[in-house]
Amino acid sequence: NAGLRVAKFARLTAPDGSDVEQAIKDLDLEYPVVVKTPRGMSTMDVYICNSLEEAARRSGEIVRSVGPDGWKTQFSLMEEFLGGDEFAVNIVASPTTPRGVQVTDVWRYDKILSNGTNINRWQDMVDPHSPTYASLVRYAEGVCRAVGIKYGMAHVEVKARYDAEKKRYVDPVMIEVGARLAGGRKAIMAEATVPGWHPFDAMLDAHCGFPIRVPPTFTPSKHARHVYIPSDKAGKVISMKGTDFDRLKTYNAHAMLCEVGQHVAIATSIYSFAGFVWLIGSKEDVEADTESARNGFSVEVETE
């Protein structure tokens, strides 16, 4: 027991969701609760449920289904709903670092509740050395040590509550931990904004037992943001507008999942978005380009 708080949870196996009610009583949970697949990725099959009926239905659907990874799901996970803001804390692990693990970059998620789940709007890179995020850094390092991550890259997703009086985040709680690079080009963006930081070199050095070369500070020199581009329509794509994202002043890269002739959905999980844009620049310019990128994109669809 590492003394780190985690969300209350239960594994549920009833195909009709009939075990949800007793699990909620046993865990002393209040609504909403989170019901999700144990075989998920990229926020797929994660549901925020506001009633027993909804939670039982979602749990039964997951138990009876094949997960997003293509394997049969044996159970669903029900967890307490954690309030506050969500973060990804990225880490490099090596015995050559002073504490065995080193936080390299922290990302704050901006999400809104829609269609029964929390949906990304964008993710901002923040300063891991700021006192505002100190509890997240300590907590994430503790999680990695507790689960035995000793070499290479890892990421910890957490939720934490902002204490306005203390002007910092408090009470971090883990959502997940992974002994791998985080997705969403986070390492690439960190390399572009933290002078002297080369995460891919560091990953190889860590696994080969070489001393990791770290910069004097991991404070980003510019503001970095991963922007999610949604579609407000569902159907077969006839045409798209506003995909010339390189017009933006702070443009770094983009990727489109939506193509003419293919189906597009109203975004819920990460892979259901029409596309993504990555921006680097001053905070003011990034804010302006975010609005332009999201509001300037549109699709025309043939309803199926």
Side-chain angles (χ1 to χ4, degrees), residues 47-97:
Y47 305 102
I48 298 171
C49 302
N50 291 290
S51 67
L52 173 61
E53 294 73 22
E54 185 180 8
R57 175 171 60 86
R58 292 300 191 185
S59 180
E61 289 172 351
I62 289 170
V63 171
R64 299 191 305 269
S65 72
V66 173
D69 63 355
W71 291 84
K72 178 69 177 68
T73 303
Q74 303 297 325
F75 59 89
S76 73
L77 283 172
M78 183 176 67
E79 298 177 349
E80 67 172 303
F81 178 79
L82 300 170
D85 295 328
E86 186 174 343
F87 296 84
V89 184
N90 295 323
I91 285 174
V92 62
S94 168
T96 67
T97 63

Side-chain angles (χ1 to χ4, degrees), residues 142-170:
V143 167
C144 287
R145 284 192 289 265
V147 300
I149 297 174
K150 297 181 179 180
Y151 301 95
M153 299 303 193
H155 68 281
V156 184
E157 289 190 322
V158 303
K159 292 194 81 172
R161 176 177 57 85
Y162 185 73
D163 188 317
E165 185 176 336
K166 296 180 179 179
K167 297 182 180 179
R168 62 181 61 199
Y169 281 93
V170 298

Side-chain angles (χ1 to χ4, degrees), residues 88-167:
V89 184
N90 295 323
I91 285 174
V92 62
S94 168
T96 67
T97 63
R99 297 186 300 277
V101 291
Q102 169 74 56
V103 169
T104 60
D105 48 295
V106 178
W107 294 75
R108 189 180 75 82
Y109 295 2
D110 186 294
K111 291 186 172 184
I112 57 172
L113 181 61
S114 181
N115 297 317
T117 190
N118 278 326
I119 300 175
N120 281 284
R121 294 197 298 174
W122 51 79
Q123 299 174 357
D124 284 317
M125 190 175 174
V126 299
D127 184 359
H129 299 298
S130 168
T132 303
Y133 310 105
S135 67
L136 306 179
V137 170
R138 291 194 302 270
Y139 180 88
E141 289 180 346
V143 167
C144 287
R145 284 192 289 265
V147 300
I149 297 174
K150 297 181 179 180
Y151 301 95
M153 299 303 193
H155 68 281
V156 184
E157 289 190 322
V158 303
K159 292 194 81 172
R161 176 177 57 85
Y162 185 73
D163 188 317
E165 185 176 336
K166 296 180 179 179
K167 297 182 180 179

